[in-house]
Amino acid sequence: MKKLITRILFTIIIVAASFVLLFPTLQNIKLGLDLQGGFEVLYQIESINGKDKVTNDMVDSTYKTLVKRIDVLGVLEPTINIEGDKIRVQLAGVDNADDARNVLSQTASLTFRDTKDNLLMTSDVLRSGAAKVSADEKGSPVVSLSVKDKDEFYKITKRVSGMEDNRIVIWLDYDEKEDSFAKEGNKCGSLTDSKCLSVATVSQGFSSDVIIEGNFEQEEVQNLVDLINSGSMPTKLVEISSKSVGASFGENSLEMTVTAGVVAIILICLFLVVLYRFAGLIASVGIVVYSALTFFIFWLIGGTLTLPGIAAMIIGIGMAVDSNVINFARIKDELYEGRGVKSALKNGNQNSIGTILDANITTLITAIILFIFGQSSVKGFATLLIISIFVTMIIMVFFTRWLMRWFVETGLFDGKPGLFIGVKSKDIPDVNHKEKRTKYFYKNLDFVKNRKVFMIIAVVISVAGIFSLVKMGLNLGIDFKGGTAITLQTDKNVTEKMAKKDIDELGYSMYDFSKETDGTYSIKINESLSKDKAMKTEDYFVDKYDASTDVGVISNTVKAELIKNAILSLIFAAIAIILYVSFRFKFSYGVSCIVSLLLNVLITVSLFSILRLEVSSIFIAAILSIIGYAVNDIIITFDRIRENVKKKGKITESSSLNGIVNNSLREILNRSIVTTITTLIPVVCLIFLGAHDIFEFNIALLFGLVIGTLCSIFVASQLWLEIEKKNIKEGKVKKEKKKIVVDEIDELSIKGINS
C-alpha cells in the first residue's frame, strides 16, 4: 500500500509540475501576427539601378539595416528572415502598419552633416562596403573608412576643420522633419537608441582613407561598420506581398483556438479513460506532460506561435495518443491470448514499439519536407509538428510505459484486467487448462471477398475527382491566385452589393465576398495592390464603415514561388515515403502505399473542388499532414500483415493470403477506429470552436483522416494482396524481412536467486 501511495503522489506531482511549467510558458511565448495583430511584409531586394546582380553581401547589409530601423520603431522581438534574394519581416504588436511600412521600405541613406544639421556629403564619397574594423596604434578597435572621391572629401573636411564647431555627424536615414543633432546629440553613437551613428572632430582636411576613433568595444565597432556599409550599399526594397492583422482579430483568434484546444484535450482524456480505464488515465497524464514539454521546447528555441502552430499542437495530441492506442491494442491482444497483466504489458510493449517507430518516422519525413519548402506560418506548423513527434516518442511511448509498469509492479491489477485496461476476465482463457482464445472482433467481416468492388469504387471516385478538377478547377485563394484580401470588422451591415460598389469606386475588380461566422467580412480582389494603394484602400474602409481593416497582398512573384514549392513538397514527400516503406518492408508494400496515398489526396482535393472550398498555402500543410497520418495507418496495417505472413511461413497458395489479410484487418480495425476518433476530436473542435483563418485547413484534415482510414483498409491492403498473388503465380515470393523489435530491459533471472 505504501508503494502504491508513493506512486500516486509522484504522478500527481508530475501533473502539477506540468501545469506549473505550461502556464508561464504560454504567457511568455512569442505570438505571431494572427494571434496578437501586427504587420508582415515580404521584400524583393534589388540594386538601385535595377541592373546589377544582388550579392550575398548586399542582402546581409540590407538585413542589418532593417534590424536597425526596427530598433528605432521600438518593436519587441521582431522576426526577420532572409529567403534567397528576399527578406520577410514580421512585426507583431505594431499598431500603425503604415508608419512601419514607410520606415522599413525607404532606401538606406548614409549622410555626413555638421552639428547644425546641414548636409555636407552623402555615401557617394565612399566606396561600396567602405567601412572595415581596424585597430589603432594601441590595439584599440576603430572603424576604417575607404574614400572613393578623395578630392570632394578633402574639400569638405578642410572646410569643417575651419568651423567654430569642427565636428562631422554621420547619420543613417536622417529625417529633416524629425531628426536633429541638438535633440539626438547625447544619444549619438549608442547604435540602438538613435539614427545618429557617430560624431567626429575634424582638425584638418583629409585626402585619403580615414578612421573613426572612440572608446569602442569590439562589438560596437562591428555594429557601426555594418550600419555604415548598409547606408552605402546600392539596394532598394520592392514590396511583393504584405499582410496586416488588427489586434482585435488576433485576440479573438487566440481565444477561440485555445478554447477549442482545451475542450479537445478534455474530451480525448474522458474518451481514453472510459475505453481503457487505468491505462487511459495514464495516457491522459502523458497528454498533460506532452503538452507542457512541447510548448516549453518551442519557447526555448524562440519559436513564434501562430494559429497553424496551435493546430499542429492540438492535432499532434491525437497523433501522440495513437502511440498509446497501438500499445494498448497489443496489450489487450496478449490478455485475450491468456497472459497475465504483467506478462501482457511486457509483451505488448515489445510488439508495438517497431510499429510506433515506423509510423512516427514517416510523419517526421513529411514534417521536414514541410519545413524546407514552407513559408512563414507553414514553417511554424512544421516546427511544432517535428517537436511533437520527438516529444511523442519520449513521453507517450517511454514515459507512459514506464509509469504503467511502475503501477503494475505493485500487484494492484493482478487478476483485474478490467480495471487495468478494460478487458473482461471472462474473455481471458485459462492456458493452464489448455483453453484457447475465444474473443475475436469482427469475425464475420470479409474484407477480401469484395475487394474488386472496393477497387472499382476507388477507380470511379478517382475518375469523378479528375473530372471535377478538369471541369470546375479549384477555388484558389490569393496565395495561389495572386491579388489582395481585405478583411473588415465593423458594427455596420455590409452586403455583397455594397462591397462591390466600394471596390468599383476604388477602381478594382472583386471576385469574392463572404461574411464569416465571427461577424467579419472578407473581400477579395484580383489586383495585387502596391504599398500606397493598400494604404489608400485601408483608409477608405476605415472612413466609410469605421472598420478595423486588414489588407493582405500576394504578388505574381510570390504566387509562382508558392505554387512551385507546393508541387515540390508533394513530389519529395511521395518519393521519400515510398523509399522508406520499400526499405522497411518490401517494394510491393511501397507501391500499394503510394497508390493509396495518391487516391486519398485526389479525393480530398476533389471534395474541395466540388464544395468550392478555398485552397491556400496552409492547405498544402493539411495535405502533407494527411499523407503523414495516412502513412501511419497504412504502416500499422502492413506491419500486422507482415507479422502474420511471418507466422504463416512460406506461402504457396493465394487462399492463404486471403486469410492473412482478413485476419490482419480484423485485428487492427479497433485500433483504426479509436485512433481516427481521437484524432478527429481536436479537428472537429477546431472546426466548430476555432478561428476561421484555419477553417479550410481543418476541413481538409477531416476529409483526409476519414478517407485515409478507409484507403488503408480497402485500397492499400487489397492492392498489396493482388500484387502478392501475382508473385505467387509467377514464383516470385520472397521471404519477409525480419521485423525490428526494441526489447525493454528486463531483470536478470538466475535460478536459485530470484526465480
Side-chain angles (χ1 to χ4, degrees):
M1 181 59 72
K2 186 177 179 181
K3 285 184 178 180
L4 180 60
I5 293 172
T6 301
R7 284 159 171 72
I8 292 172
L9 287 174
F10 174 80
T11 306
I12 292 172
I13 291 170
I14 288 291
V15 172
S18 298
F19 279 113
V20 169
L21 178 66
L22 182 61
F23 288 116
T25 301
L26 289 176
Q27 288 175 352
N28 291 294
I29 205 165
K30 187 164 62 173
L31 299 178
L33 306 183
D34 50 4
L35 295 177
Q36 67 165 319
F39 174 64
E40 174 182 301
V41 61
L42 180 64
Y43 290 117
Q44 177 82 51
I45 303 172
E46 296 182 358
S47 61
I48 290 292
N49 57 23
K51 298 178 181 179
D52 295 337
K53 184 180 178 181
V54 176
T55 64
N56 290 335
D57 287 340
M58 293 165 74
V59 172
D60 190 49
S61 293
T62 305
Y63 171 86
K64 289 167 181 174
T65 301
L66 288 175
V67 171
K68 175 68 176 177
R69 290 175 178 175
I70 291 168
D71 286 340
V72 173
L73 283 171
V75 177
L76 296 175
E77 297 185 320
T79 302
I80 311 174
N81 294 316
I82 297 174
E83 301 175 4
D85 59 350
K86 303 177 187 67
I87 289 185
R88 187 182 301 275
V89 181
Q90 294 176 318
L91 307 177
V94 167
D95 295 326
N96 193 322
D98 296 342
D99 288 348
R101 179 187 262 121
N102 287 332
V103 171
L104 291 173
S105 60
Q106 62 186 350
T107 304
S109 173
L110 187 76
T111 56
F112 298 83
R113 299 175 181 271
D114 61 25
T115 54
K116 294 181 180 179
D117 303 325
N118 297 310
L119 178 64
L120 300 172
M121 298 176 284
T122 67
S123 60
D124 291 342
V125 299
L126 302 177
R127 298 185 189 280
S128 180
K132 290 183 173 54
V133 177
S134 187
D136 61 15
E137 295 176 354
K138 299 178 182 178
S140 300
V142 295
V143 178
S144 172
L145 289 181
S146 179
V147 178
K148 179 175 66 174
D149 191 340
K150 292 182 170 59
D151 292 338
E152 179 68 13
F153 196 76
Y154 175 79
K155 178 182 171 183
I156 298 297
T157 52
K158 179 67 175 176
R159 178 156 60 89
V160 173
S161 67
M163 292 180 180
E164 184 178 348
D165 189 347
N166 59 336
R167 290 181 292 173
I168 287 183
V169 185
I170 305 176
W171 290 88
L172 181 66
D173 299 334
Y174 177 86
D175 188 323
E176 292 184 358
K177 294 180 181 179
E178 297 182 1
D179 299 324
S180 70
F181 183 71
K183 185 170 65 175
E184 299 286 326
N186 293 332
K187 294 187 289 184
C188 193
S190 68
L191 306 186
T192 55
D193 299 327
S194 174
K195 292 187 286 183
C196 177
L197 302 184
S198 180
V199 55
T201 301
V202 180
S203 58
Q204 63 184 57
F206 295 98
S207 60
S208 60
D209 295 347
V210 295
I211 61 171
I212 301 174
E213 296 178 307
N215 296 319
F216 296 128
E217 298 291 337
Q218 187 68 35
E219 185 178 352
E220 291 177 317
V221 168
Q222 186 61 59
N223 286 341
L224 182 55
V225 164
D226 292 337
L227 291 168
I228 291 174
N229 285 338
S230 70
S232 58
M233 267 304 172
T235 60
K236 61 181 178 180
L237 298 174
V238 179
E239 185 177 306
I240 56 176
S241 79
S242 63
K243 179 182 179 183
S244 62
V245 180
S248 57
F249 284 105
E251 290 171 5
N252 189 41
S253 297
L254 178 60
E255 184 179 340
M256 293 171 69
T257 308
V258 169
T259 300
V262 171
V263 171
I265 290 172
I266 292 172
L267 290 176
I268 290 174
C269 290
L270 288 174
F271 180 73
L272 290 174
V273 171
V274 169
L275 200 61
Y276 295 114
R277 307 300 194 275
F278 177 79
L281 181 63
I282 293 298
S284 300
V285 170
I287 289 174
V288 174
V289 179
Y290 159 89
S291 302
L293 188 57
T294 301
F295 276 122
F296 181 68
I297 292 173
F298 191 66
W299 171 76
L300 276 182
I301 65 173
T304 300
L305 190 63
T306 61
L307 277 174
I310 294 178
M313 172 67 196
I314 295 171
I315 295 161
I317 290 172
M319 185 176 150
V321 168
D322 183 41
S323 297
N324 277 323
V325 171
I326 295 169
N327 195 33
F328 295 163
R330 288 290 192 170
I331 293 170
K332 291 177 84 169
D333 280 343
E334 293 295 321
L335 289 169
Y336 290 134
E337 292 290 344
R339 310 283 193 277
V341 169
K342 291 178 182 176
S343 178
L345 177 64
K346 174 189 170 185
N347 293 345
N349 287 345
Q350 290 177 351
N351 292 335
S352 63
I353 189 66
T355 308
I356 294 169
L357 284 171
D358 281 331
N360 279 280
I361 288 171
T362 49
T363 308
L364 180 63
I365 290 170
T366 60
I368 291 172
I369 290 170
L370 254 182
F371 182 83
I372 293 170
F373 292 101
Q375 293 182 346
S376 194
S377 58
V378 176
K379 260 192 200 305
F381 172 87
T383 302
L384 256 174
L385 194 57
I386 291 169
I387 293 172
S388 295
I389 291 166
F390 284 108
V391 176
T392 293
M393 296 306 299
I394 296 168
I395 300 300
M396 304 304 281
V397 177
F398 297 105
F399 174 73
T400 54
R401 286 169 179 236
W402 170 78
L403 202 56
M404 274 199 299
R405 189 167 66 243
W406 205 37
F407 275 96
V408 166
E409 286 171 355
T410 64
L412 175 66
F413 301 105
D414 290 349
K416 301 173 185 175
L419 178 62
F420 175 59
I421 204 167
V423 172
K424 296 177 182 178
S425 297
K426 66 178 184 179
D427 292 328
I428 300 177
D430 187 346
V431 291
N432 293 324
H433 290 82
K434 298 185 179 179
E435 291 180 3
K436 293 187 177 180
R437 177 173 178 169
T438 58
K439 184 69 175 180
Y440 290 96
F441 296 94
Y442 314 107
K443 287 190 293 185
N444 297 322
L445 282 180
D446 192 337
F447 297 96
V448 173
K449 184 178 180 181
N450 298 312
R451 68 184 181 282
K452 291 185 179 178
V453 176
F454 300 146
M455 293 294 185
I456 291 170
I457 292 173
V459 171
V460 170
I461 292 173
S462 300
V463 172
I466 293 170
F467 177 80
S468 168
L469 289 170
V470 172
K471 190 75 175 174
M472 301 173 65
L474 290 169
N475 177 22
L476 297 175
I478 64 166
D479 290 351
F480 295 120
K481 190 174 183 178
T484 303
I486 305 164
T487 307
L488 308 177
Q489 190 174 58
T490 177
D491 294 331
K492 298 180 181 180
N493 183 47
V494 182
T495 64
E496 183 172 359
K497 186 176 180 180
M498 292 167 63
K500 188 176 187 313
K501 184 179 178 182
D502 291 330
I503 295 301
D504 289 342
E505 188 175 325
L506 286 164
Y508 312 127
S509 66
M510 184 179 82
Y511 71 84
D512 185 66
F513 173 85
S514 62
K515 182 177 181 180
E516 314 299 357
T517 54
D518 57 1
T520 60
Y521 300 92
S522 175
I523 302 169
K524 289 171 185 165
I525 63 176
N526 291 311
E527 291 80 6
S528 297
L529 301 184
S530 65
K531 175 182 70 174
D532 294 336
K533 289 180 179 179
M535 292 164 64
K536 179 183 175 183
T537 301
E538 189 171 335
D539 291 340
Y540 175 90
F541 285 107
V542 170
D543 293 339
K544 185 163 185 178
Y545 297 110
D546 191 25
S548 176
T549 308
D550 294 339
V551 179
V553 182
I554 296 290
S555 70
N556 288 331
T557 303
V558 177
K559 176 188 74 175
E561 192 162 338
L562 284 171
I563 292 172
K564 181 191 77 174
N565 287 341
I567 294 170
L568 287 176
S569 60
L570 290 173
I571 291 173
F572 282 117
I575 293 172
I577 287 168
I578 195 171
L579 288 175
Y580 181 79
V581 174
S582 298
F583 170 75
R584 284 289 288 119
F585 293 84
K586 281 192 342 184
F587 187 68
S588 58
Y589 291 100
V591 172
S592 306
C593 177
I594 209 67
V595 170
S596 178
L597 292 177
L598 289 174
L599 182 63
N600 187 358
V601 171
L602 176 60
I603 295 173
T604 302
V605 173
S606 299
L607 287 172
F608 263 64
S609 172
I610 294 166
L611 299 174
R612 308 313 297 158
L613 293 167
E614 186 177 276
V615 174
S616 61
S617 59
I618 196 67
F619 176 78
I620 302 303
I623 292 296
L624 285 176
S625 299
I626 289 166
I627 290 173
Y629 281 115
V631 170
N632 194 323
D633 263 344
I634 294 169
I635 288 285
I636 289 160
T637 304
F638 282 171
D639 192 71
R640 189 60 67 99
I641 289 174
R642 179 176 63 176
E643 184 178 321
N644 288 334
V645 167
K646 187 179 176 183
K647 288 178 182 176
K648 189 76 175 177
K650 188 173 181 180
I651 299 169
T652 56
E653 296 181 2
S654 297
S655 58
S656 298
L657 284 175
N658 290 354
I660 286 171
V661 171
N662 261 333
N663 289 333
S664 299
L665 292 175
R666 290 168 189 155
E667 289 167 2
I668 59 93
L669 188 57
N670 265 340
R671 171 263 151 205
S672 295
I673 293 171
V674 172
T675 297
T676 303
I677 291 172
T678 54
T679 309
L680 285 178
I681 286 173
V683 172
V684 171
C685 287
L686 284 168
I687 289 172
F688 289 103
L689 301 175
H692 183 271
D693 304 57
I694 50 174
F695 176 77
E696 283 83 6
F697 171 83
N698 292 304
I699 287 291
L701 284 178
L702 177 66
F703 292 160
L705 290 172
V706 175
I707 296 165
T709 302
L710 295 174
C711 282
S712 69
I713 295 171
F714 298 124
V715 178
S717 56
Q718 308 303 331
L719 186 57
W720 174 87
L721 178 62
E722 290 296 328
I723 294 172
E724 288 300 311
K725 280 190 172 185
K726 187 178 179 182
N727 286 340
I728 286 177
K729 290 177 183 177
E730 295 176 0
K732 295 180 181 178
V733 179
K734 295 180 181 179
K735 189 177 180 181
E736 290 284 344
K737 293 179 182 178
K738 187 177 180 181
K739 180 181 175 182
I740 297 174
V741 177
V742 181
D743 291 332
E744 297 190 345
I745 299 173
D746 295 319
E747 182 183 3
L748 180 63
S749 297
I750 301 174
K751 190 172 182 180
I753 296 179
N754 58 0
S755 63

